[in-house]
Amino acid sequence: VLPQLCVWYGECGVASGDKRYNCAYDGPPIALPEDGYDLMQELCPGLFFGNVSACCDVHQLQTLKNNLQLPLQFLSRCPSCFYNLINLFCELTCSPNQSDFLNVTSTIPYYDPILKENKSSITELQYFIGERFANAMYNACKDVEAPSSNVKALGLLCGKDVKDCNATNWIEYMFSKDNGQTPFSIIPIFSDVPVHGMNPMNNATKGCNESMDDSTGPCSCQDCSIVCGPKPQPPPLPTPWLLFGLDAVYVIMWISYMGFLLIFFALVFGVWCYRRRHFVSEYTPIDSNIAFSVNSHRDNGKITCGERLGERFEKGLRMTFTSWGAFCVRNPRPVILFSVVFIAMCCSGFVYIKATTNPVDLWSAPSSQARKEKEYFDTHFGPFFRTEQLIIQAPNSHPSTYSPYPSGADVPFGSPLSKEILHQVLDLQDAIVNITASFDNETVMLKDICLAPLAPYNNNCTILSVLNYFQNSHSVLDHTIGDEFFVYADYHTHFLYCVRAPASLNDTSLLHDPCLGTFGGPVFPWLVLGGYDDDNYNNATALVITFPVNNYYNDSRKLMKALAWEKEFINFLKNYDNPNLTISFSAERSIEDEINRESESDIGTVLISYTVMFVYISIALGHIQSCRRLLVDSKISLGIAGILIVLSSVACSVGIFSYFGIPLTLIVIEVIPFLVLAIGVDNIFIIVQTLQRDERLQGETLDKQIGRVLGDVAPSMFLSSFSETVAFFLGTLSTMPAVRTFSLFAGMAVLIDFILQVTCFVSLLGLDIKRQERNRLDILCCIKSNEEMSRAQRSESILFLFFKNLYSPYLLKDWMRPIIIAVFVGVLSFSTAVMHNVEIGLDQSLSMPDDSYVMDYFNQLSKYLHAGPPVYFVLEEGHNYTSLEGQNMVCGGMGCNNDSLVQQVFNAAEIGSYTRIGYAPSSWIDDYFDWVKPQSSCCRVYNTTGQFCNASVTDPSCTRCRPLTQEGKQRPQGKDFMTFLPMFLLDNPNPKCGKGGHAAYNSAVNFINNKSDVGATYFMTYHTVLKTSSDFIDAMKKARVIADNITETMGIKEKNYRVFPYSVFYVFYEQYLTIVHDAIFNLCISLGSIFLVTTLLLGFEVWAAVVVSITIAMIIINMFGVMWLWGISLNAVSLVNLVMSCGIAVEFCSHVTRAFTVSTKGSRVERAEEALSHMGSSVFSGITLTKFGGIVVLAFSKSQIFKIFYFRMYLAMVLLGATHGLIFLPVLLSYIGPSVNKAKTRATQERTRGTERERLLYF
C-alpha cells in the first residue's frame, strides 16, 4: 500500500478580495480538529471515518461550503447530481490521497505572520479526473431545471449556453480563475488510464435515476430525462376527409347538384311534352281571347276548413286596418300629437343612457367561463398588469462582429446591439421614465404607477429591457477591463453571459457586473430581443422594451392616473424623433383610443351614407306628371317625415332600454339605423306607391280610399315587421353580449317603426294628399300653384310599368324559369360546399383605422416577438400543500409524481408546437423546497427572536431554519411548511442565495386564515408566439385541455376545486369556441320564428311559409359563400349582420309571397306575374335602391371593420336579397307556390262584384 500524501494543507496569502491561496504541504494527512466534524459530515460524508485524517483544515472546509452555495441551490433538486459534484470538490479539497491525482505546477513564497515561518502558496495545479467520472457527473446534471427562470441550471453554472455545455468545458469553467469564484488556476486533465505517473480520480458516481441513500429518491422526470421514458409526441393531425383526392364536401355537393339538374330537367321536359300532347293545360289558354277566369272551373270544389279559417283571418286583418286607416286620415292632429308625445316619453330614457366601450363587456358574457376565471384571478392575485411596449430597430446601423479574448470563435452582433445605439435607446428609456402627466392637479410619473415587485425595499420599476442587464446605467454599459493592447471584457462579454444566465447576480467575466434587473427580477432574453434565430440572441434585429404598469381592480382614481400617464406616453412617442431608431409602440389604452377615434372619423361616412338615402327617398316617393307641377307632386316633406319616423323608432328603442339600464354598444349605434331604414323605407314605398296606382271609386272619400289601400297592404307590412320583431327578440337568447344587445334594440325599433307607420305616417299621408289636391306646394304649403289638376287620377310609375310589362312576363317565360332555378341551386350548392371553410375570429388589426400607429405595432409584433402572452395555471383554493401527498401532486422536483401539475405543464412545453406552451413553468413550491434545505445558506433565523435573517447578513446569532439531520433534510410538512413559506416569499435574491422568492413569486401564493394556510396559487409560463386569431383560439383550447387533464389526474374533481389556465386574451377569444354553435342556434331560431309568424299571418298558409323560409335559408347560406369568397371571418360582428340579413330577407320575400297568396288569377304563373309586378317595383325601389346608395358610401370609410363587415356584408345582403326576392322567389312560386285559396277568391268576387275592379281583376 502506497503511503497517503497531501499536496496542500491550510490557507496562505490572499489571492484577491476575500479569496485565499492554499499552502503547499507534502506530508501525510492530518487529523481534523473536532470543531470541523459537523462540516466534514455535512459536506464530505465519504471522508468521515476513523480519526478523520484529511488534507484540509476547518478554514478550507468553510471556504468549500461557501463556494458550493450557488451550485447547491440550483443542483440539489437532483440529489445524485449534487452528490457527484460534491465528490469532485471533496476529493480535490480534503482527500487523504491527494498526491495520486493532484500535481502542483506553480507556487509563490509566503511568510506566515502568525506562526512566523516561510511557506509557499499554490498558484496553479493539475487535477487528473477520470473521463468516466466527468461524463457520468455531467449526464446526471444536464437536465436539472432552474424553475424561476424557465431554463436549465447548467446554463447558469457552465459559462456557456446549455446546448454548448459538455462535461469537460463545464469542469474547466468551474476550475477557471476567470469565473470569479476560484482563487487560483486548477487545470483539469481528463483520462481513464494513469498518465505522467498520476492515477486519475475516478470515484463511483450515481446516475440521476438512482437513489443516493434510503431517505432520498431518484431525481424527478423534469430534472432527469431517463426517468421520464420516451419524450411525449404530439398526436397526428386529423386526416382531411377526401373523396377522389378532393375535399369530400365539394365532391358531394357537386354530385348532388348534377343529380338535381338531371331530375329537374327530366321533369320539366316531361311536363312540356305532356302539355304539347294535350295542348290545353292550366298553364296555356288555347287562345288569349278566351278570357275568362280559370277560377270558374275550380269554384265547384269544396272549400276546406283551413281555407275558410285563412279567409276569415285575412278578412279580419283587412277590416281592422281599413277602419284604422280611415280613422287616422279623419283625425290627423290627435294621432300625430299622440305619436309625438309617445316618442318624447320614450326618448326621456336618454338621461339614463350608458354606452359600453370596455372590450371585455362587449365580447364576453358575464356568465362565461373565461369571465368567471378572469374574476377569480383578479380577486386572488390582482388584475393582470397594463402593458406599454416599444419595438425598436436601428435601420442605419450595421451588424458587427465581436472577437472574444483570448481566444474563441467570432460572435456576430445584430445592428441594434451596437454600443452607440444602446446608449441612444437608454436615453429614450430614461426619457420615458421621466415623463410627467397631471391628473387632478397631481403629477403622475412612471414610478407612481409601475410594477415594483420588491417595494418597499427596492422601489425600482420593472422595465423589461436589454439595458437592464447593464442596470439601466450608461457607466455600466461603458464598463471595460483591458490594457493598452487588449480588451479582456466589455459589454459584449456581459451581454453574452446575461442572456444565458439572466438570474445571475455576478457575471463570471472579469467585469463581475450583475445581470439581474434593477427591479430585482431576471430579464429573460426572449422578452427583450426580437428577430434572432434559434437561441442566438446576439443576432437580434430588434429590441423590445416593456413597461408593466399596475392595473387597479376597482380603484378608478388610480386607474385614471395610469390612463393620464399613458396618454402622455403616446404623445411623447408620436413626437419623438431620432433618425437612427425606428420605433413601433403601443400602450394599454391604445386599442380602445383608436377604436373611439375611428368611430368618430366614421361618423362622417355614416352621415353621408344616410344623406344619400334621404335624398333618394324624398325624390323617389313623388310621382311627378309634368314639370309645371313639380313642386306640387313631389313628396319631399312626406319623405323627410317618413325618415324621421324611422329614426324616432330607433331613438325610442334606445330610450326604453336605457330606462331599464341596458347599455348601448357601438354595434347598436352603427347597425340599427341602417336596418330600420331598410325595413321602414320599404313600408313607406309600398303604402305610397300602392296609393298612387289606385283609383278612387265613385263616391269614395279620401279617408275611405286610404283606409282601403291600407287594408290591402298593411297585412303585408304587419307580416314582415312582426316576423322580424319576433326573430330579433328570440335572438336575445344568444350568450354573446354583442348579439344579445343588438337583437334587443333591433326588435324593439322594428316594432315601434311599424306602429308609427300605420298611425302617424298614415295621418301625414292623408294631409299630404289633401295638400296636393288643393294645389299647394310641397314644403312651402302656404303657397298655392296656378296649375290646376283634374280629379286625383291613378298614376303608374315608370318602374311599375317596367316590372308589369317587361320584367315579369320575360322572367316567367317557360324557357327562362328552368335556367333560373338551375343557376340559383348551383350558387346554393357552391355556398354549401365552402361554408365550412369560413374562417373564425377577428384579426385585431382590423379594428384599427388604416392610418393608426397601432397597425405598425401589430406588424412588428408578429415579425419580432419570440414569446407569446404569459399563461397562468391556477390551482384554486382548497388544496392541501402541507401534506406529502398534496405536495407531490403539484411539485416538479425529486419525489414528485410523474403526472404532477408542474410535470404535466413541463411535458406540454416539450411539444410546444402542438400545445402552444412555450416554456417549463416557474414553480414556487420547487424553489421553496430548495431554499429551505438546511444545506443551503438561504433559510436562517435569529436564534433570539425567531425572525428571518437574510443570507447576506453576517451575524453569529443567525442559525439554520432546520437541523442538518436526516429528518431536517426532508421536505417541510405540516406546521413547518407554513412557518417558513412567508419568509421565502419575502426574501430578495442575493449573491449568497439566488433562490429568494420575493421577486419571482410575490403574487403567486395567496394566504388565507390569517396566513395559517395556502389558498389559491399559480404556476406561470408563456405561450408560444401567437399571430392569427386561429393561433389564439387554439392556444386557449389546448391550455384548457391540459388544465382539465391535470385536474383529472390529481383526482380533485370531487373536491370542488380545480386547475384552470388564465391568460389575458382568453376573455376575448372564448366566444370563438362556441361561435359556430351560436351562429347555428341564432339563425335557426330566426328562421323558425319567421316560419311560424308567416304561417299565422298569411292565414295559415303553411306551404307559403315553407317557401318563404326556404328562400331566406338560401340567402343566409349564400351569405356564407360570399363571406368565404370575400375573406370575411365569422365573429360577433358578422354574426350580428347574419341575424340582420334574416330580417332584411323577410322584407324581400314576404311582400311578394303574400301578394301571390291573395292573388285570384288562374294559374300559378299568372299569380306570380301579378305579385311580382305589384310588389316587385315597391320592393325594388324601397329597399334595393335606397340601400344601394347608402352602402356604396361605406366603401370609402377609413375603418377596415366598416369596409369588410359593413360595406361587403351589406352589399352582399342587398344583392342576394334582391336577386332571391325578385328573381328566384317568383319563379319558385310559379312552380310550387300554394294553390289558390277558394274561400279568398269567392270573398274577393263578392267584394268587387259590379265594380270596375271586377273587370280589372278578371278580364
Side-chain angles (χ1 to χ4, degrees), residues 347-424:
C347 292
S348 65
F350 271 87
V351 289
Y352 301 107
I353 197 162
K354 285 205 301 278
T356 307
T357 51
N358 180 358
V360 176
D361 296 327
L362 277 178
W363 302 121
S364 88
S367 59
S368 70
Q369 184 185 339
R371 255 313 255 293
K372 286 179 181 158
E373 288 169 354
K374 178 183 175 353
E375 288 293 311
Y376 190 92
F377 188 90
D378 289 355
T379 45
H380 287 77
F381 309 110
F384 190 78
F385 47 79
R386 304 174 70 82
T387 311
E388 332 297 342
Q389 195 168 55
L390 293 80
I391 299 174
I392 302 171
Q393 292 145 277
N396 307 331
S397 171
H398 300 290
S400 57
T401 306
Y402 162 65
S403 308
Y405 173 87
S407 62
D410 284 356
V411 184
F413 266 69
S415 51
L417 291 172
S418 72
K419 192 187 275 190
E420 297 70 50
I421 295 290
L422 288 174
H423 275 300
Q424 291 176 31

Side-chain angles (χ1 to χ4, degrees), residues 959-973:
T959 57
R960 291 192 186 100
C961 294
R962 312 191 69 217
L964 242 177
T965 56
Q966 275 314 95
E967 198 180 306
K969 289 180 185 175
Q970 302 293 334
R971 284 193 223 143
Q973 288 170 41

Side-chain angles (χ1 to χ4, degrees), residues 1093-1119:
V1093 174
T1094 312
T1095 307
L1096 190 70
L1097 296 185
L1098 284 180
F1100 306 99
E1101 293 269 12
V1102 179
W1103 186 242
V1106 169
V1107 172
V1108 170
S1109 304
I1110 289 174
T1111 313
I1112 294 174
M1114 283 176 70
I1115 293 175
I1116 298 291
I1117 291 171
N1118 287 333
M1119 282 292 289

Side-chain angles (χ1 to χ4, degrees), residues 325-334 336 629 632-635 637-638 691 696 701-706 761-778 781 783-785 789 792:
F327 170 78
C328 289
V329 177
R330 281 198 307 274
N331 311 300
R333 283 174 188 78
I336 294 171
R629 291 190 53 80
V632 178
D633 288 347
S634 75
K635 297 241 180 292
S637 47
L638 186 67
L691 184 65
R696 201 175 297 173
T701 54
L702 176 67
D703 59 315
K704 290 265 171 45
Q705 184 194 8
I706 293 183
F761 185 75
V762 172
S763 296
L764 289 166
L765 178 65
L767 291 175
D768 191 69
I769 302 254
K770 285 175 188 166
R771 167 197 69 74
Q772 198 176 348
E773 287 177 355
R774 291 183 192 138
N775 275 348
R776 293 188 181 279
L777 298 189
D778 191 11
C781 46
I783 303 171
K784 207 168 180 175
S785 160
M789 172 187 178

